[in-house]
Amino acid sequence: MSNYLEIPEFEDSIPFRMFLNDGMTIVYPHWHTEIEIIYSRKGKVNIGVDDTIVQLEKGEIYIFPSGEAHYFLASPDSERYVYQFNLKLFDEKILRTSEDSLISLFASGEPHSRYWPKELTQKATELLVQLYGVEEQKPAGMKYMSVGYLYQLIGELYLHLPRRIAEKAQTKRSAIQYKETLDLLNQVFEYVEDRFQEVIVLEDVAKFVGFSPYYFTRFFKTNTGQTFMQFLTEYRINQAKFILANEKIPMVEVAEKAGFSSVKTFHHVFKEAVGQSPLQYRKNLNNH
C-alpha cells in the first residue's frame, strides 16, 4: 500500500491540533509535513514506522518528524493522545541561535521515549498531559497556554533529546534525507494556500518551483500519492467545510471563498467527495 499525504485540518490560524484515538482507530500509511507526537495514555499502541512495528507501552511517547511515513494497527484496549503541529508555529528567525534547526532536531533525535533520559520523559509527559487538559477545558487564554507548553517542550527536547540510535538513523523518509523534497512540496502548499481562491493551473505551479509540467506531475504524484489537481480540489473542499461550519453565508459566497469557479461546480464536486450536498452538510453540523 502506498503512503498518502495527509493535510491536517487546523480549526484556526494556529497550526496545532490534538485529539484522542482509541485502539481500534486504524490509520493507513501516510506522512505529512507537520510534527506528530503520540502519547500512549492506556494499553499498548501498535505503530508502523516504514517496515518496522513499534509497540508503545502505556506512558511512552513517540515522535514522527516531518516527512516520516507511519501508520497505526489495531491496538485493543488502548488509547493514544495525538498532537500535530506545523513548525511555522515557531519563528526560528528570531528564536534560533547556534543550535540545530527544528527540522534537524526532530529528524536526528531519538523518536521513542523508551530511550530518553528519565528527566526528559517525565517533563515531556507532564507538558503533554497539561496541554491536553488546556485543550479540553478551554480556559481564558487557552491559546497562550497551549503555545507556551509547546515552546517549553521544544526547549526540553533541545536540552535532553538524544540522537537516534544507529540502526534507526537510516529511515526511508527522514526529514534530512528528503529535505529538498519537503522544501519543494512546502513551496507548492504555500502557493496553494496563498492563491486557492484564484484560478490555478498546473503549468503555473510547475513554473513556480522550476519544473516542467511533465516532471512536476510525476514529482507531485510520487511524493504525495495523488495528482496536483486532486490535492487542490481536496484543499478547496476542506476550506469549504471550514466556511460552512463557521459562517452563515449564501452558497454562492461559500463557493467563491473556497476557490470554486461556480456554485454549480462547487455543489457537484463537494457532493461527489463528501457524499452529501453542501447545504445538507451545514444542516447536519447544526443538528449536532
Side-chain angles (χ1 to χ4, degrees):
M1 182 179 296
S2 61
N3 301 320
Y4 70 90
L5 169 68
E6 179 186 82
I7 308 292
E9 296 181 45
F10 299 115
E11 292 185 0
D12 50 39
S13 58
I14 296 179
F16 163 72
R17 70 173 184 172
M18 60 169 300
F19 46 91
L20 176 67
N21 277 344
D22 63 38
M24 299 313 291
T25 301
I26 299 172
V27 181
Y28 291 104
H30 68 286
W31 65 278
H32 36 70
T33 58
E34 288 74 19
I35 303 299
E36 179 168 305
I37 300 177
I38 306 299
Y39 172 69
S40 178
R41 179 175 180 267
K42 173 186 175 185
K44 300 179 180 181
V45 179
N46 297 311
I47 304 173
V49 185
D50 289 318
D51 295 327
T52 304
I53 303 300
V54 176
Q55 189 169 78
L56 208 60
E57 301 283 347
K58 178 182 177 181
E60 289 188 334
I61 298 166
Y62 199 95
I63 299 177
F64 296 109
S66 176
E68 184 166 78
H70 57 281
Y71 54 96
F72 292 90
L73 301 171
S75 307
D77 302 316
S78 72
E79 291 181 343
R80 60 183 181 266
Y81 288 150
V82 182
Y83 307 78
Q84 294 177 334
F85 55 89
N86 194 299
L87 292 179
K88 292 180 183 177
L89 185 62
F90 310 94
D91 192 339
E92 292 193 77
K93 290 182 180 179
I94 296 175
L95 298 171
R96 185 158 67 92
T97 53
S98 60
E99 59 266 6
D100 289 341
S101 67
L102 282 171
I103 196 167
S104 296
L105 169 71
F106 286 106
S108 61
E110 169 54 48
H112 196 163
S113 66
R114 186 177 299 171
Y115 307 105
W116 294 357
K118 184 177 180 180
E119 63 268 27
L120 174 59
T121 301
Q122 290 178 337
K123 188 61 178 180
T125 299
E126 176 186 321
L127 290 168
L128 290 174
V129 171
Q130 289 174 324
L131 182 54
Y132 195 88
V134 168
E135 292 291 317
E136 270 195 323
Q137 297 163 19
K138 302 189 186 309
M142 65 170 289
K143 294 301 180 185
Y144 293 99
M145 296 175 71
S146 295
V147 172
Y149 285 135
L150 284 173
Y151 271 76
Q152 286 186 65
L153 179 61
I154 294 295
E156 293 294 330
L157 293 175
Y158 267 121
L159 285 172
H160 303 295
L161 184 66
R163 296 280 178 172
R164 284 178 181 249
I165 56 179
E167 58 266 31
K168 290 187 177 182
Q170 303 301 320
T171 54
K172 289 183 179 178
R173 185 186 284 275
S174 75
I176 291 178
Q177 179 185 0
Y178 282 81
K179 187 176 187 305
E180 183 178 349
T181 296
L182 290 170
D183 286 345
L184 287 168
L185 287 172
N186 272 326
Q187 289 180 43
V188 176
F189 300 153
E190 289 175 2
Y191 183 97
V192 171
E193 185 179 349
D194 292 340
R195 299 173 175 84
F196 71 91
Q197 294 177 320
E198 307 169 9
V199 176
I200 296 179
V201 295
L202 185 144
E203 289 76 11
D204 289 342
V205 186
K207 183 178 180 181
F208 177 75
V209 292
F211 291 161
S212 69
Y214 173 75
Y215 185 80
F216 174 72
T217 298
R218 292 186 59 190
F219 167 81
F220 196 87
K221 181 68 181 290
T222 298
N223 288 287
T224 68
Q226 60 186 160
T227 68
F228 173 73
M229 296 313 295
Q230 287 172 332
F231 163 73
L232 178 59
T233 298
E234 183 179 300
Y235 187 93
R236 285 170 167 161
I237 288 172
N238 287 333
Q239 291 295 319
K241 286 180 178 179
F242 182 82
I243 296 167
L244 290 167
N246 293 282
E247 299 184 41
K248 304 300 181 184
I249 57 178
M251 286 300 161
V252 65
E253 291 184 37
V254 176
E256 182 179 349
K257 291 186 72 171
F260 290 92
S261 58
S262 70
V263 69
K264 183 178 180 181
T265 299
F266 167 53
H267 185 278
H268 173 74
V269 172
F270 190 94
K271 188 171 183 179
E272 188 175 79
V274 182
Q276 55 186 316
S277 69
L279 183 60
Q280 188 61 49
Y281 180 84
R282 174 184 276 170
K283 286 180 178 178
N284 288 341
L285 286 174
N286 292 335
N287 290 332
H288 284 79

